[in-house]
Amino acid sequence: MPATTVRKGWLPREGFTADVVQGIIQKTILNPALTLPLFLLAHYARKGEFAVNHELAVKRLKICLYLGLARWVNNYLSQGALNNWQSDRLDWPKELVVITGGSDGIGKHLVNLLASQNVKIIILDIQPPTYELPNDQVHYVHLDLTSPEAIHSASDLIRTKHGNPTILILNAGIANRRSLLSTPDGALSALFAINTLSHFRLAREFLPAMVAANHGTVVTIASLAGYVTVPGLVDYCSSKASAVAFHEGVAAELRYRYRAPKVRTVCVCPNFVATKLSEGFLNKSWFLSPTLRVETVAEAVFEKIVSGDSGTVVLPRTHGWLAMTMRALPWWWQVGMGREMRYIMEGPERVQMELDREVKARGERAEDEGDGKRADLAEDYDGSGVEGDVGEDEDVAEVDSRAGQLNGVKRGAW
């Protein structure tokens, strides 16, 4: 059963990582609540004897104090600007949550966390929930996000039966895990329909009521892949870059076009997440860039929603600088990062190559066997060739099934 409370502790589920070190630094040497009393004590205790005898230590403490104060001021100004300098509170019994992709993965754990707040939740997904719904406040609606008509019908159903949603979580996403030149049009269209176009369509359905009430929250589950493009995931990274731009555009229009400053916008950009999507990925840095547990991501999203603040959540948190400065870094740095990124898809690409060879080999073998069977059948059945065709279809279907399990369309978030 997924957890219904946020996990607390010194170490995250991922173990001792750079995030832990950053957290310790922020809570100690960059924490003015700690460094300011120490600085004052050094200067005024016994007429400043400590400051005189330990001048270098006091200078370093002073630098830490100023850096901590600058960090506090920056955070205050940034959060105030993102919130349009207006506060808003969630009244959970009156809220209505709509979440796409809530049947499994990150969505599953997020649903269970939100359910603990006694809020009504509507899950929109093409597959039924893979878990027992936590209470009778949680409902499932079957929806194919690639269909504009289905989205409109489901939205009408939600408004008629439950009212206007106040929290929209755009969590559903898929990946094809193929190179640019090997991705068929159908797979490409499905990916952008789910990862990009469904965001626009659902926002057009539910944002008007939020604007009218000047209250609501739109959560976009994007990815760090929206900032760094990986060879073999060009379509996925492009869709996530679009998700980041969607989040920024919605925030800007709510602020300047629709005059709804209390409607919150949240963008979540995790790195590797242990979902089906990342199966086979090669992660070379577990300390700096650990593969995140779905519970970790879900809890970060939940805490941001509960805070009532707008903003971007980057996970691991040490990667926040990457999201802010990636395009400002020198080209040699960006090219070098791309060179490292190419290793990520080694596992999936190897699987795909093996599957392609197997499909080709089985197809040729089935064709040869079919030709032989047709030749034999021609003598007895006047060349109908039915059995040979059936045998070929069954053989190829078996390979296609395995390919779909190992390297087909993957759900989740990177």
Side-chain angles (χ1 to χ4, degrees):
M1 179 70 180
T4 57
T5 57
V6 175
R7 182 179 183 270
K8 300 293 183 182
W10 278 96
L11 283 179
R13 296 179 180 85
E14 294 74 19
F16 186 77
T17 66
D19 264 14
V20 177
V21 177
Q22 176 177 286
I24 293 173
I25 292 173
Q26 291 177 345
K27 292 176 180 177
T28 53
I29 63 177
L30 293 182
N31 182 5
L34 178 63
T35 55
L36 179 59
L38 290 175
F39 180 76
L40 295 175
L41 184 65
H43 270 279
Y44 297 108
R46 294 186 179 181
K47 298 182 179 180
E49 290 181 5
F50 184 89
V52 173
N53 297 331
H54 302 84
E55 185 177 354
L56 181 60
V58 173
K59 284 183 177 179
R60 291 174 176 173
L61 179 61
K62 186 177 181 180
I63 291 172
C64 291
L65 171 60
Y66 286 168
L67 289 174
L69 287 172
R71 176 173 165 268
W72 271 20
V73 171
N74 176 68
N75 290 343
Y76 172 78
L77 294 175
S78 295
Q79 194 58 69
L82 289 169
N83 288 346
N84 303 306
W85 301 105
Q86 297 196 31
S87 62
D88 194 28
R89 300 182 63 183
L90 293 170
D91 187 354
W92 286 109
K94 296 180 181 179
E95 308 295 335
L96 174 59
V97 179
V98 168
I99 176 171
T100 63
S103 291
D104 202 1
I106 297 170
K108 173 177 72 173
H109 293 278
L110 188 51
V111 166
N112 279 276
L113 288 168
L114 289 167
S116 66
Q117 302 299 306
N118 190 33
V119 63
K120 184 177 287 188
I121 303 170
I122 311 297
I123 300 170
L124 300 179
D125 207 317
I126 198 168
Q127 67 169 344
T130 58
Y131 56 100
E132 183 180 352
L133 297 181
N135 55 50
D136 58 6
Q137 290 275 78
V138 182
H139 308 273
Y140 164 70
V141 175
H142 178 271
L143 176 60
D144 177 6
L145 286 170
T146 64
S147 169
E149 295 78 12
I151 290 176
H152 182 67
S153 297
S155 301
D156 278 345
L157 175 66
I158 291 170
R159 282 188 290 264
T160 301
K161 293 187 64 176
H162 305 286
N164 291 309
T166 57
I167 301 176
L168 174 62
I169 305 175
L170 303 167
N171 169 69
I174 63 172
N176 293 318
R177 299 179 16 150
R178 286 180 174 270
S179 65
L180 175 65
L181 299 182
S182 65
T183 305
D185 281 346
L188 195 63
S189 298
L191 182 141
F192 278 95
I194 294 172
N195 293 12
T196 301
L197 296 179
S198 69
H199 295 2
F200 286 82
R201 290 164 180 159
L202 286 166
R204 289 189 304 190
E205 293 286 348
F206 297 132
L207 259 185
M210 296 186 194
V211 169
N214 195 19
H215 173 79
T217 304
V218 179
V219 182
T220 305
I221 308 297
S223 169
L224 274 177
Y227 297 95
V228 183
T229 303
V230 178
L233 285 173
V234 175
D235 54 354
Y236 178 78
C237 295
S238 299
S239 71
K240 290 305 179 180
S242 174
V244 173
F246 168 83
H247 156 74
E248 294 172 351
V250 169
E253 289 204 349
L254 286 169
R255 182 180 299 118
Y256 302 118
R257 180 63 62 86
Y258 302 118
R259 308 296 181 184
K262 292 186 178 182
V263 178
R264 301 304 186 217
T265 53
V266 175
C267 185
V268 184
C269 296
N271 197 26
F272 299 105
V273 184
T275 63
K276 293 179 181 178
L277 184 151
S278 62
E279 287 176 1
F281 281 4
L282 182 61
N283 185 359
K284 290 187 172 183
S285 180
W286 281 83
F287 177 73
L288 292 175
S289 186
T291 298
L292 302 166
R293 297 278 295 275
V294 290
E295 298 91 340
T296 300
V297 180
E299 288 173 1
V301 179
F302 173 73
E303 289 183 321
K304 191 63 176 178
I305 294 172
V306 171
S307 73
D309 291 328
S310 292
T312 298
V313 178
V314 178
L315 300 170
R317 299 189 187 279
T318 49
H319 285 37
W321 66 272
L322 180 64
M324 292 186 292
T325 63
M326 177 61 191
R327 299 304 179 192
L329 293 173
W331 281 110
W332 58 265
W333 182 295
Q334 296 187 43
V335 172
M337 185 174 293
R339 186 166 55 248
E340 291 299 316
M341 292 292 103
R342 77 186 192 274
Y343 295 114
I344 292 174
M345 290 297 292
E346 279 188 352
E349 286 175 349
R350 200 159 46 240
V351 171
Q352 184 62 48
M353 290 173 63
E354 292 174 359
L355 287 168
D356 288 343
R357 283 197 296 268
E358 186 176 349
V359 169
K360 183 178 180 181
R362 290 200 176 197
E364 291 175 350
R365 187 166 62 251
E367 184 176 352
D368 292 341
E369 292 174 356
D371 289 342
K373 290 182 181 181
R374 278 189 283 271
D376 294 337
L377 288 166
E379 298 178 1
D380 299 329
Y381 301 111
D382 193 27
S384 64
V386 174
E387 293 184 18
D389 291 338
V390 173
E392 178 183 346
D393 290 343
E394 289 177 346
D395 204 20
V396 175
E398 179 185 344
V399 178
D400 288 343
S401 175
R402 182 173 168 231
Q405 294 172 4
L406 293 178
N407 200 50
V409 174
K410 301 289 183 177
R411 298 169 54 84
W414 168 36

